Amino acid sequence: MDHAQQIEKQHHFQVYNRFPVTIERGSGAKVWDTNNVEYIDLLAGIAVNNLGHSHPAIVEAIKNQAEKLLHVSNFYYTEAQSEFIERLSYLSGLERVFLCNSGLEAMEGTLKLARKWGHVHGKTGNVISLTNGFHGRSLASITLSKPNYQEGFAPLPSGFIQSPFNDYETLLEVIDDQIIAIAFELIQGNSGVNVADKDFVKKVRALCDEKNILMIIDEVQTGVARTGKFWCYEHYGIKPDIVAAAKALAGGIPIGAIMAKEEVASVLGHGNHGTTFGGNPFACVVGNACLKTIQKENLTEQAAEKGDYMMKLIKDKTAGNDKVLDVRGMGLMIGVELSIPGRPVVERMFEQRVLSNAAGGNVLRIVPPIVISQIEIQQAVDVLITSL
């Protein structure tokens, strides 16, 4: 245990089950520890470093803006923020944007917006989420999420109920005229890369239209080119009423965003919502550099192509292996479901210098930087196979 690890054990809240390594630097899809040991990164900071580590465009944006302006608050306009929200509005097809600092803040903001919209429309009912989801760690967001995140934190906020993922008939049973919103992930990352059925999602969109219910899509992990489309909902041919995003929006710098239709966002007036740090010029400049780079380097298309290649490679190399039950996902958001616990496999991969993650107990969650090379994919998959 090195000095950094000793200090963490002594002073940090012990809420993370960390691996025994101190990361010092990174480049592309690789990182190095303080002993200069090289690792292939299949986690990308949990789907954050889509452009990889130390991408030149991100580094340049950080250096340049650090010498100009970091923060002024939202009492004033900045060019960087206006450019960033214009880009997000264009990319999402939604007219209004609110900037914050994280995925949790984005989801909290969507719930607050939905409540206000409900009051304006005479609705005082529940917000429905789908089972096995994950939407952050505040009291409201764990109420939307899997029960294990809720243990020990009662009493939880009222006004939330859950319905089974991908089960439209059961969803219909809890729908009434007072339901305000249905909020869910299209791919449940933390629960094992569970993919929403297209037919289910289209039916939910039609139901929301019919019953005047808001559709809230949590794109915190799936967004920003990760799945082979800029937003995962593009795969489904639907347009949400509200979208929450964060993680990869600024190449590793914290930022979050809520995007909403004009008729939904307009229920909030001056003083109804706000943030000190959200939308600061530093984060927005880096965000603009990130979004420009994704377009310039065709990273959305790269995610689709590399994801197809990696999934096929894993399927081919695990054919007949009774430890592998399923390989699923979209783009470079891949889940490998196992018949054995995932953590020991991740530990074996770590010993062979590949960083990965277990989700849902028995699923390997693979979300590497989109800039990962074909050779790095091959090397990482070979380590996965030997670790199994």
Side-chain angles (χ1 to χ4, degrees):
M1 185 180 297
D2 66 18
H3 181 65
Q5 294 168 33
Q6 291 173 354
I7 294 296
E8 191 275 349
K9 296 297 182 189
Q10 183 178 356
H11 292 294
H12 201 284
F13 283 25
Q14 292 300 290
V15 294
Y16 300 118
N17 188 15
R18 301 181 197 254
F19 284 83
V21 62
T22 303
I23 304 297
E24 187 173 54
R25 60 190 173 89
S27 179
K30 291 181 178 178
V31 296
W32 288 262
D33 67 16
T34 48
N35 294 315
N36 205 36
V37 176
E38 179 184 284
Y39 300 79
I40 296 175
D41 185 4
L42 295 187
L43 189 57
I46 318 177
V48 168
N49 302 310
N50 288 10
L51 272 63
H53 299 276
S54 303
H55 191 288
I58 299 300
V59 172
E60 182 182 10
I62 290 171
K63 287 181 175 179
N64 290 342
Q65 189 61 27
E67 295 180 342
K68 293 179 180 178
L69 187 68
L70 295 179
H71 177 75
V72 292
S73 88
N74 286 299
F75 281 117
Y76 312 103
Y77 298 93
T78 65
E79 289 282 354
Q81 184 183 110
S82 294
E83 181 183 342
F84 192 57
I85 61 175
E86 184 178 38
R87 287 180 185 278
L88 289 179
S89 178
Y90 171 76
L91 287 166
S92 66
L94 300 168
E95 294 85 1
R96 293 286 173 180
V97 180
F98 178 88
L99 297 177
C100 50
N101 305 287
S102 67
L104 168 61
E105 286 186 34
M107 279 306 297
E108 280 278 351
T110 69
L111 298 176
K112 191 174 174 183
L113 173 58
R115 284 263 180 249
K116 183 67 183 292
W117 179 88
H119 280 285
V120 169
H121 288 264
K123 288 174 173 258
T124 57
N126 292 310
V127 172
I128 300 173
S129 62
L130 302 182
T131 54
N132 293 318
F134 177 76
H135 301 281
R137 297 180 187 272
S138 69
L139 284 175
S141 60
I142 64 173
T143 308
L144 296 175
S145 305
K146 289 173 65 174
N148 61 294
Y149 293 109
Q150 304 171 10
E151 293 172 5
F153 297 106
L156 296 173
S158 60
F160 300 94
I161 59 174
Q162 295 194 14
S163 184
F165 187 68
N166 275 336
D167 186 341
Y168 183 72
E169 297 306 317
T170 303
L171 176 64
L172 285 179
E173 295 175 7
V174 296
I175 294 294
D176 60 43
D177 291 338
Q178 290 298 306
I179 294 294
I180 294 171
I182 303 173
F184 61 103
E185 306 158 276
L186 293 167
I187 303 178
Q188 297 179 324
N190 276 39
S191 295
V193 193
N194 302 317
V195 182
D197 294 336
K198 289 191 176 181
D199 184 58
F200 171 78
V201 174
K202 286 182 177 292
K203 285 180 177 178
V204 173
R205 176 67 273 181
L207 177 67
C208 288
D209 291 337
E210 178 189 347
K211 299 290 187 180
N212 196 28
I213 297 170
L214 296 176
M215 175 186 258
I216 301 173
I217 298 298
D218 181 344
E219 288 267 9
V220 171
Q221 190 166 161
T222 53
V224 197
R226 167 62 52 192
T227 67
K229 299 282 188 183
F230 195 88
W231 305 113
C232 190
Y233 64 79
E234 295 176 59
H235 291 285
Y236 294 82
I238 55 109
K239 186 176 183 179
D241 300 299
I242 311 175
V243 174
K247 284 191 181 288
L249 277 174
I253 297 298
I255 197 167
I258 305 165
M259 292 147 283
K261 293 177 178 177
E262 175 71 44
E263 59 268 29
V264 178
S266 62
V267 302
L268 294 179
H270 291 166
N272 283 163
H273 199 48
T275 170
T276 297
F277 290 108
N280 67 76
F282 178 73
C284 287
V285 162
V286 182
N288 284 321
C290 177
L291 300 186
K292 289 177 186 176
T293 302
I294 288 171
Q295 181 179 19
K296 180 180 178 182
E297 298 186 4
N298 297 314
L299 290 184
T300 305
E301 294 80 2
Q302 284 194 44
E305 293 167 4
K306 292 175 181 178
D308 287 345
Y309 174 75
M310 193 171 194
M311 273 197 273
K312 184 177 185 304
L313 192 62
I314 295 170
K315 287 177 180 179
D316 288 347
K317 294 205 170 195
T318 60
N321 189 330
D322 59 6
K323 292 177 182 175
V324 177
L325 302 177
D326 191 22
V327 181
R328 57 179 177 260
M330 289 183 182
L332 279 171
M333 187 169 182
I334 300 169
V336 182
E337 184 177 355
L338 308 176
S339 61
I340 58 175
R343 176 77 182 201
V345 180
V346 172
E347 290 172 351
R348 290 288 182 90
M349 293 175 70
F350 172 75
E351 291 168 3
Q352 297 180 71
R353 310 300 184 240
V354 173
L355 305 183
S356 187
N357 175 248
N362 67 324
V363 179
L364 303 180
R365 173 172 49 173
I366 298 172
V367 283
I370 297 173
V371 297
I372 190 171
S373 69
Q374 191 173 91
I375 291 175
E376 289 165 339
I377 289 174
Q378 293 167 353
Q379 292 171 337
V381 171
D382 284 343
V383 166
L384 189 159
I385 302 305
T386 58
S387 298
L388 281 173

